[in-house]
Amino acid sequence: MFYDSAMNPLINPIFLHGCVASIQFLFLIVLFITWVWKRFKLDQTLVPKQSSGCLFYKQTLFCSLVLSLFNLVLCFFNNFYWYRNGWTDEKIVTLLNALLGALVWLFVSVYLHTLVSNSSTGSRKYPSVIRVWWVFFFTVSCYSLVVDYVYYKKTQDLVSMLFVSDSVSSFMGLFLCFVGLSYKTEEEFQSNNLEEPLLSSGVSRGGVASTYENASYYSLLTFSWMNSVIAKGNKKTLDLEDVPQLAKIDSVKEVYPVLLNKVESLGNGGNQITAFGLTKALLYIVWKDVAITGLLALVTSLTSFVGPYLIEAFVQYLDGQRDYKHQGFVLVAAFLVSKVIGCFTQRHWYFKLQQAGIRARSAVVAMIYQKGLTISGQSKQGNSSGEIINFMAVDAERIGDYAWYMHDFWIVLVQVGVALWLLYRNLGLAFIASLIATILVLLANIPLGNIQEKLQDDLMKSKDKRMKSTSEILRNMRILKLQGWEMKFLSKVTKLRDEEQGALKKYMYTLSMTSFIFWGAPIIVAVATFATCLFAGIPLESGKVLSALATFKILQEPIYNLPDSVSVFFQTKVSLDRIATYLRLNDIDSSAVSKVSRGSSETAVEIINGNFSWDSNASSNPTLKDINIRVNHGMRVAVCGTVGSGKSSLLSCILGEVSKISGSVKVEGSKAYVAQSAWIQSGKIEDNILFGREMDRERYEKVLEACSLKKDLEILSFGDQTVIGERGINLSGGQKQRIQIARALYQDADIYLFDDPFSAVDAHTGSHLFKECMLQFLDSKTVVYITHQVEFLPAADLILVSSLILYLAKRVRTGHFDSGENGFSSLVAGPELDFDKVLRDGRITQAGKYNDLLSSGSDFMDLVGAHKEALSAIDSMGTTVDQEQTGSSKKNTNDDQNGKSDDSSGTKAQLVQEEEREKGRVGFSVYWKYVTTAYGGALAPLILLVVILFQVLQIGSNYWMAWASPVSASDPAPVTSSTLIIVYVALSAGCALCVLARGLLIATMAYKAATILFHQMHLAIFRSPMSFFDSTPSGRILNRASTDQSAVDLQIPYQVASFVFAIIQLLGIIAVMSQCAWQVIVIFIPVAGMCVWLQQYYLPSAREMSRLVGVCKGPVIQNFSETISGSTTIRSFDQQARFQDTNLKLNDDFSRPKFHAAAAMEWLGIRLDMLSSFTFAVFLIFLVSIPEGTIDASKTFFSMVKIEKYPTNIILNFYVYQGIAGLAATYGLTLNNLQGWAVWTLTNLENKIISVERIFQYSSIPSEPPLIIESNRPDDQWPSQGEVDIRHLQVRYAPHMPLVLRGLTCTFTGGKKTGIVGRTGSGKSTLIQTLFRLVEPAAGQILIDGINISTIGLHDLRSRLSIIPQDPTMFEGTIRSNLDPLEEYTDDKIWEALDKCQLGEEVRSKEGKLDSPVTENGENWSVGQRQLVCLGRVLLKKSKVLVLDEATASVDTATDGMIQQTLAKHFTDSTVIMIAHRITSVLDSDMVLVLEQGLIEEYDSPTKLLEDKSSSFAKLVAEYSMRSSSSYENLAAT
C-alpha cells in the first residue's frame, strides 16, 4: 500500500505523481492552444520552411521521443504488474501519470518538429513555453527522486518503477535544461572552428567525400553513415553533387582493371572467354563480399529457426508447465536476441550483396565499352549499336541484380535441412513425407527452369531486334519525317514489339504457373506431413503442430522466392552468354599497322604488297590488291575517283580499320583523321575542338580562323560554349565538317588523313579551307586527302590512277620528279609497274603529273573532262575573273567573317538541356493511371479480393490446426483425425487456387498495361516535332524504351501485388495477435506510426536517388552510342584511354545514387526491424506476465472476457486457449520481417514506379500538327503547278533561340529550277525544313499552288514533296525496302529507277538482287552510292516539287553531272529547288536565290546576277573559278 494518510503529502510519491499528472494535463492543454495559435500565425504569414539552428535540435527531438516511448512502456509494465497483483485508486493515478507523460512528450516532439523547424525569426531560441516546461520537469523529477529515497528510508519499501521513472526523467531533464537555458546557436557554437573544415577538408570540389569509407564500426553496423544524405534529402531535392562519392573499393576505376586482367588470363587474351570464364572472373572481383554474405546468410537462416525451435516450449509454458523460475522471460529474451541478431545479419547480407552487384555491373559495362572501342568493322556489322546498348542497359544490369539471388540455392538446402531436423524432432518419421514433398518441389525446378530459360532467351532476342530498329530510327528521324515515313516505321517497331509481346506473354503466364506450384509447395508439404502423422498414428499436439507450422512458414519464403531465383538465374545465364559471345568477337588487328614514333626514318606511310578486305573471310576477293605506296614526311597526297571506287578504303588501310590479308603497313608518327560523315560529340564546341588536349589559346584562335568558324561562333548565342546536340543536330552540315577539321588541326599531328572534307561546305568556304588549312596551316605536315573536287588536283605534282578501285595523286614538296632514288619509282614500289598499262581489279594503273595524265588520254581524262565541261558553263556566260574581282571577293570574305548577327531576339538558352526529372513525391495519379490502364482497372478489385481470400483461408487453416489439436497426448481431441485433415486440405486447396487466380490476373493486367503504355509512349515520340529530337539525346529515349519499359513489363506489376499482399498479411498477423491480447494494438499503433514516420523521412532521399539513377543512366548509354559511331575517329586520334576514362566516370556517377539508395533501404530496414522486434517482445512479455490459470485449455476457440466488480476497480481476466496464444506467437515470429517487407515493398514500388512516371512523361510530349486534316485535304492532283510562294517568313528553332530566317519573301515559279546558294549557316537548310514543316514558322507563311501549307495535314504535305537530303541515309533491310519502304511500287518500277540512277548493274551483280542486304546505316555501301539510292527514291516518287539539299556533295563531278542530267530529263515539268555547294550545279537554274544571315541578299536569274560584277553570286562564281584554275598549283609551289 503506497498511500499513508498520516504521511506528509509532499513526501508521498503517490500524491506527488498525482499532482504532476494534473499539471501535465494542464500543460497539454496550454501547449495545444499555443501550437494552434502559432501554427495559424505561420500559415498566415506563409513562412518558408528552413532547418532549425537551435542548439542540439536533433538530440532534443530524439530525447523527447525517447521520454514519450519510455512513459508508454512504463504504462504497459504498470498495467501488467498491477493487473497481476490487484488495483487501487493510487495505482490508477500513477498509471494515468505515465499515460499523460507519454502524450505530453509526444506532443512536445510534434511541437518542436513543426514550429521550431519552420521558424523564420532571427532568434534561434526554443519557445518560452517549452523552456519553462523543461525547467519545471527537471525540478520536479529531481524532487521526486529525493522523495523516493526518503520514502524508501522511512518504509524500507522501494517502488522500483517510480524510482526508475524518476531517475530517467532527472537525467533527461538535466540535458533539456541545459539546451533550454543556452541561447547559443549551432552556427555560433561552430563559429570558432570555421577555418578547420576549410583547411582540412578532404572533399574535392567535384562532390561529397565517401561517408561509407570513413565510417566507424558502429556507424557501419547501424548504417548511420547514411544519416547526412537522408537528412539532406529532407531539406532539399537531392542532386548528384549531394550524393557522396563511392568508396575506393567500389569505384569502377579500381574494379575494372582487375576484371580485365582476369578475363584476359582466362580467355587467352579475352577473345576466347566463355560465359563460365566470365562468371569466374566476376566472382574473383567480389569473392570477399560473396564469402561474407554467405556467412551472414547462414547466421540469418539459423536464427530464423530459433523461433520454431522454442515455440513448443513456449506453448507448454503457457499451459503451466514451468521448468524453472522466470522461464517465460528467458524464452522471451531468447526470442528477442535471435530476432535482433537476425535483423542485423540480414540487413548487412542484403546490402553487401547489392554492393557486390553494383561493382560487378560497373566492371561488365566497362568491358563492353572497351570492346566497343576495339571491335572490328566486320564484327560490328553483326551487332548493331542498339544490340550493344542492350548488352549495357539490360544484360549488365541483370548480372548486377543477380547478386540478390546469389546464395538462394544453397541457403534453401540449409533451410530445408534444418527444417527437416526440426520436423523430425517434433513429428518423428513423418519428416520423411516432408522430405519427399520438398524434393519433388525442388525437382520441378528443372523442367520449369528450362522452359523459362528458352522463353527468356526468346524475349531478349526480340527485345534486341526492337531496340536495334528503334536506335536506327531515332538516328534518322529527320529523313523519316521529310519523307513522311514515320508512321510506317512506327508500325515496323510495333510489329517487332508484337513479336516481343508474344514471348513476354508466354513468359508471364509460365511465371504464373511456376508461382502457383511454388506458392502451393508449403501447403503441399504441410498436408503431406500431417496426413502421414495421421496414418502413422503420430499424435498431433498443438505445440508440435505450431512448431511445424512455424517451420513451414519459414520455409515458405525461400520456396516462394525459388521461382524468382530460378527465373533470374536463367535470365542471368542468358545475359552472360550474350556478353561472352560479344566479347569473343574479333577486334581490330592491332598488328596490321606497324606504328613507329616520329624520327626513325623519312617515311611517314608505307604499304608494301598490301592486300586488304573488309571481310576477313573473303581473302580470295580482296577489296584492294597489290598496293605499294610510300609517302615521305612533308608530302601531300590526294585521292580521287568515282563513287564506290574504294577511296575511303585506302585511308582505312592506313588507319588499320580494314583486315590485312597480306603485305605490310607502316605508319610513323601521330595521326589525325577527318571522316566523310561528320562525327561530332554532344557537348560544347570548344570540347569538340580540343578533343582532350589542353587549351592553347593562340593555336586555338588560329585554328578557328583557318576553319572559318569565327563568324559562326559569333552568331551562336554562347559562342564556342554552345552545347551541341546529339550528332551535331543543331549545326549545319558545313559547320559540323569544319568543326571536325578544326579538331584535327588542333591536335598538331604528324600525319593528316582527310576523307573528302570539302563536300559539305559551299564553294566559297571550301576554297578558304583548302587554302588556309591544306596549303598554309598544314604546310609542313604529311597530308593524305580524298576529294571529289577536281579543281584541287592541279596543286599536286603526281597523279596515280586506277579505274576500278583507286585514283591516287601525290604531290612532292620539291616540285619535280625524276626516276632516281627519291623519284616516282621509289614512291610507288613495284618494278613491274608500267605507267602506260592499265591494270584492273584494284591495282594501281597510271602515274604522272596532272598535265601528263591529261595528255596521255586515260580514265583520268574522263573524270577531269566532266569537271571542265561544268566550268565551260561559266565561260559561256561571259564571266571573267580578274585580280580586282578576286580581291573584292576576298575583301568581302573577310568582312563576312567578321560580321555579327544583329538578331538578339529570344532569351539565351542552350538547345540541349539537362534531362528533366520529376521532383517530390510520386503523385497518386501515377499509381491510379497505371492501375486503370488495363481494362479501366477492372481487374484490380478482383486481385485484391483474391489476395484477401487467400490470407483468410491461410489463417483459417492454421487456426483450425491450432484449435483442433490437443495440447498434450492426454487431452481429448476436439475433432476426429480424419475431420482434422479433410478440413485442413480443403482450406489449403482454396489457398492454392487463390494463388493461381492471383498469378493469372496479375499477368493479364501487367501484359495489357505494358502493351498500352508502350504504344502510347512510342506514338507520342514518333509524332513529336523535330525540335524534340534536336534537343533530346537518343540515349534518353532509348533508356525509356529499354530499361523503363523492361521495368513495366516484368517488375512493377509484381511490386504492386507484393505491396498489397504484404499489407494484407500484416493486418492478418495483427488480427491474430490481437485475438490473444488486444493490448498489442495499443503498442502497434504508435510503433506503426513511427514506422510510417521513418518511411516518410527516408522516402524523399530514396525517391530522388532513384530518379538520379534513371537520369544518370542516359549519359552512359548516350556516350556509348556516340563512341560506337565514332570509334574509327577515336582510334585514329589514339584517344581510347580518354574515352574509357570518361565512361568510367559516368559509370561511377550512375553507381553513386544506386549504391546509396541501396544503403538507404537498409538504413530504413534495420530501424523498422528493431521497432518490429520491440512490438513482438512486448507481446510476448504480456503473454508470460498473464497470471497462471488465466490461459485455460478448457475455454473455447475465441477469447472470453470475464468482468468482476470490486469496490474500487475493474479487473479484465482474459481466458485464451493455449494453442491460439501459441499461434499468435508463431505469427509474431515473422512480424518484423513482414512489417519491414511492407514498408520495403512500398518504398521499392515508389522507386520502381518512377519508370511509369518517366514513360507517362514521354507519352505527353507535345505533338506535331495532325498528319491529316479531313476538313482541309488537298485534291489528289495537288500540287499541279508546283509554285512555291514565300511571304514574310520568319523561323527560329526554339522560343528561346534567335531567328534563323528573318523575313523572307519570294516566289519559286512552278516548273522552274531554282538554285539556293550562300555561305554555310546562312539558312539554306532551314528554309527547306520549313517547307516540309519540320520547323513551324514563327511568322509569315508558305503557299504551294495557293494553299497555305500550315493549314493542311503534315502527311498530305510531305507525301506530295520529294527530297534528296544532305546526309544520304539507308536503313537496315534490303535494297527494295530502302527504295520503297511503303511498298507502293512493283519490282519493274524499282529496277527502272535503279537503272536511271546508275545503280542497276551494281545491284544485279549482287546475289540477292533487290533483296540484297543493307547493314545498319548502310555501312556496306559507300556514301556516294547511298546518295544515288536517295536519287532512286525520288525517281520512283516523281513529285511535282523536288528539293535537293546539297544532294551531290558526296559524289564526284562526273556523277554530279550524271545526276543533274537525270533530274533534267525526268523532272522537266517539276519545280526543282536546289541547294548546292558546287556553283556549276546551279548555273543552269532559271533563278538563283542568295541568302546571307537569314535574309535574301539577291534573287534573280544567274545571267543577270553575273552581269553585275558586284553581286554576291558573281563573287561566289569568281571564287569558284579562281580555285578551279591553276592558281592553287602556283600557290602551292611558292
Side-chain angles (χ1 to χ4, degrees), residues 249-285:
I249 59 170
D250 294 315
S251 173
V252 68
K253 295 177 183 177
E254 297 290 325
V255 178
Y256 165 64
V258 180
L259 178 66
L260 184 62
N261 291 335
K262 195 65 178 176
V263 167
E264 288 177 349
S265 66
L266 292 172
N268 297 325
N271 282 347
Q272 301 300 320
I273 191 68
T274 61
F276 180 69
L278 182 59
T279 305
K280 285 175 63 178
L282 287 170
L283 285 174
Y284 179 76
I285 64 173

Side-chain angles (χ1 to χ4, degrees), residues 348-492:
H348 285 277
W349 168 23
Y350 288 168
F351 172 68
K352 296 293 286 184
L353 281 181
Q354 291 179 84
Q355 185 181 20
I358 291 170
R359 203 179 298 163
R361 187 211 69 87
S362 298
V364 169
V365 168
M367 281 209 69
I368 295 170
Y369 184 88
Q370 181 63 34
K371 187 69 178 183
L373 284 172
T374 61
I375 190 173
S376 67
Q378 181 189 356
S379 299
K380 193 189 293 186
Q381 287 185 7
N383 293 269
S384 70
S385 57
E387 289 176 309
I388 299 173
I389 286 170
N390 249 6
F391 294 148
M392 178 179 284
V394 178
D395 293 297
E397 197 74 33
R398 189 162 288 151
I399 290 171
D401 290 343
Y402 182 68
W404 270 102
Y405 307 89
M406 188 179 298
H407 298 296
D408 280 13
F409 293 104
W410 71 266
I411 280 295
V412 165
L413 296 178
V414 170
Q415 290 174 320
V416 168
V418 176
L420 291 174
W421 174 77
L422 277 176
L423 290 173
Y424 173 73
R425 177 176 172 272
N426 289 317
L427 302 177
L429 293 177
F431 91 96
I432 296 175
S434 305
L435 175 62
I436 294 172
T438 304
I439 290 173
L440 289 175
V441 170
L442 295 177
L443 286 176
N445 277 316
I446 298 173
L448 288 171
N450 291 335
I451 293 171
Q452 284 190 322
E453 181 181 16
K454 182 181 182 304
L455 291 173
Q456 178 65 27
D457 194 33
D458 293 343
L459 182 61
M460 289 307 301
K461 285 179 179 176
S462 56
K463 184 187 289 289
D464 281 346
K465 289 181 184 177
R466 174 175 64 83
M467 289 305 300
K468 183 178 180 180
S469 178
T470 304
S471 178
E472 183 180 49
I473 288 169
L474 291 176
R475 279 197 307 274
N476 300 296
M477 185 58 76
R478 183 176 302 275
I479 185 64
L480 294 183
K481 288 189 175 291
L482 285 170
Q483 300 283 6
W485 292 345
E486 66 268 36
M487 300 313 292
K488 174 66 178 179
F489 278 77
L490 173 59
S491 67
K492 179 183 176 182

Side-chain angles (χ1 to χ4, degrees), residues 286-302:
V286 296
W287 71 268
K288 289 183 181 178
D289 295 301
V290 172
I292 292 171
T293 52
L295 179 62
L296 292 172
L298 180 63
V299 174
T300 302
S301 299
L302 294 177

